[in-house]
Amino acid sequence: MGSVEFEGLWDPEPGWLNTASYGLPPRPAWEALQAALSDWRVGATSWEPWDESTIRAREAFARLVGADAGDVFVGSTVSAALAPIATALADGSKVLTDDVEFTSNVFPWKVHEDRGVEVVAVPGSELVAAIQPGIDLVAVSAVQSSTGVVLDLSAVIAASKKIGALVVIDASQALGWLPLTVDGIDALVAHTYKWMMSPRGATLGYLSPRLQERCRPSAAGWYAGADVHGSYYGTRMELAPGARKFDQSPAWFSFVGAAPALELIEQIGVETIHRHNLELANEFRAGLNLPPSNSAIVSTSLPGAQEAFEAAGIRAAVRDGKLRASFHIYTTLADVHEALTALKPLT
Ligand SMILES: Cc1ncc(COP(=O)(O)O)c(C=O)c1O
């Protein structure tokens, strides 16, 4: 299937180059959410139909990353999803990360410093070489939020395997455009509101069976019960098997939007989205005399770029003093050319 068949499923105002901040909903997600909001407004339904979306989102996510749905949990944010893993680390453990890592994958480890957990941060280009005996866990993004750098995941997995370190991947800037599976990974979490084009508040995660055994489901509530509807009251606790015991009770409307968005990504195909996004990102790079790259996020120092974009009505971001432009399935060649025209006087 080509991306052309799916054109018209989004309604972006021209010039949205900021999916790395948040993605735009495809029509099926938008319509499902509006329908749920209408029902909510007048009390037309009980909540269980909304929760069906959580189940669909879990299953679509599992298929997307090549996992068993029984090893996938739902939550609200990346940092909260990582917290139970951090709690499972032994006192004095060493966690390795990238020195520009987004803090939702840094602070969950760092809050354990008082019991000797140490977070070591190195430049991304040195990360694989730094995976040496003494490191217990590597926590890193598949695609860096501020720079767009794509992780050499197979090298990280190979180096970690050699020393027995756990691999924890934040795929929030990757899933939805970068082909990725959980093979060789111990935990992978992703917030869906960027490249998976969902409302904020729907996070999904994979936990390997060996890590599930080590972690305490510290956020367990009624939704983590083996029988969800039989777990509302009282002190008897029977948690769900597998990763579902790590579920946080879902933000219904976020998942109502997430399920159709994830299913649409599957329908279009990540490979197709990947090709489209790189084509546009590299067209943009060529216009700035930058060599082609493998990322849907372009980060570059160009003094005055922010002002030029603002004047032209182009919405991108500035991260770490650099312009960050991102390109997704609904971005068009016209968007790219408009952006390049706005930057022309600066290049
Ligand atoms: C790599 C990455 N992870 C996570 C998040 C969001 O984190 P959280 O879900 O904890 O709010 C972002 C937001 O920019 C991000 O870029």
Side-chain angles (χ1 to χ4, degrees):
M1 279 189 194
S3 55
V4 176
E5 296 165 51
F6 298 96
E7 274 173 19
L9 284 186
W10 290 266
D11 301 291
E13 279 189 24
W16 179 249
L17 297 185
N18 206 0
T19 299
S21 282
Y22 69 86
L24 310 186
R27 188 156 310 127
W30 176 257
E31 286 175 352
L33 186 55
Q34 300 317 306
L37 292 175
S38 296
D39 285 347
W40 175 43
R41 189 178 194 188
V42 299
T45 168
S46 183
W47 56 269
E48 288 83 353
W50 302 331
D51 187 47
E52 289 293 313
S53 306
T54 314
I55 298 162
R56 280 168 52 202
R58 187 198 312 270
E59 288 171 354
F61 179 87
R63 290 189 297 268
L64 201 60
V65 298
D68 187 315
D71 294 327
V72 172
F73 64 99
V74 302
S76 53
T77 63
V78 167
S79 54
L82 293 175
I85 308 174
T87 306
L89 287 176
D91 291 358
S93 294
K94 232 183 205 182
V95 176
L96 178 69
T97 191
D98 188 305
D99 65 3
V100 293
E101 188 69 19
F102 192 80
T103 49
S104 287
N105 188 20
V106 178
F107 293 175
W109 318 108
K110 249 184 126 60
V111 295
H112 290 269
E113 275 179 342
D114 64 322
R115 57 183 190 87
V117 172
E118 187 188 349
V119 176
V120 181
V122 298
S125 57
E126 296 168 21
L127 188 91
V128 173
I131 304 175
Q132 295 293 338
I135 298 294
D136 299 290
L137 185 148
V138 181
V140 67
S141 285
V143 174
Q144 280 301 331
S145 166
S146 67
T147 61
V149 169
V150 178
L151 182 72
D152 184 347
L153 184 56
S154 46
V156 167
I157 290 171
S160 302
K161 202 170 170 193
K162 230 184 253 174
I163 60 160
L166 295 166
V167 177
V168 176
I169 299 296
D170 178 349
S172 302
Q173 294 288 3
L175 276 186
W177 75 269
L178 186 72
L180 193 64
T181 73
V182 295
D183 284 350
I185 292 174
D186 296 285
L188 178 144
V189 298
H191 208 142
T192 57
Y193 72 102
K194 298 171 186 289
W195 303 90
M196 290 185 271
M197 305 173 285
S198 303
R200 199 180 143 81
T203 289
L204 290 128
Y206 160 81
L207 263 190
S208 68
R210 78 164 167 158
L211 202 47
Q212 289 168 32
E213 277 177 23
R214 281 179 58 177
C215 295
R216 184 190 296 267
S218 46
W222 62 277
Y223 202 78
D227 170 14
V228 168
H229 304 294
S231 302
Y232 296 162
Y233 302 109
T235 55
R236 202 183 65 82
M237 180 176 80
E238 192 187 331
L239 294 183
R244 205 164 68 62
K245 68 170 78 62
F246 297 92
D247 279 1
Q248 295 163 39
S249 35
W252 291 319
F253 301 123
S254 300
F255 281 92
V256 163
L262 286 163
E263 288 163 356
L264 181 68
I265 290 169
E266 256 188 300
Q267 238 183 311
I268 300 173
V270 175
E271 296 284 353
T272 300
I273 300 173
H274 182 244
R275 206 174 322 117
H276 173 92
N277 293 8
L278 289 193
E279 226 168 78
L280 294 190
N282 283 332
E283 175 81 10
F284 182 65
R285 292 180 70 91
L288 297 178
N289 297 314
L290 297 170
S293 100
N294 60 352
S295 185
I297 299 175
V298 178
S299 161
T300 184
S301 287
L302 195 59
Q306 189 179 5
E307 294 74 13
F309 268 3
E310 273 168 19
I314 291 158
R315 286 91 69 214
V318 174
R319 291 287 179 276
D320 243 1
K322 288 183 168 176
L323 174 73
R324 184 188 70 179
S326 36
F327 303 83
H328 205 12
I329 188 68
Y330 40 69
T331 316
T332 64
L333 211 48
D335 288 321
V336 175
H337 291 155
E338 208 179 300
L340 288 172
T341 303
L343 298 178
K344 189 101 191 129
L346 309 174
T347 56

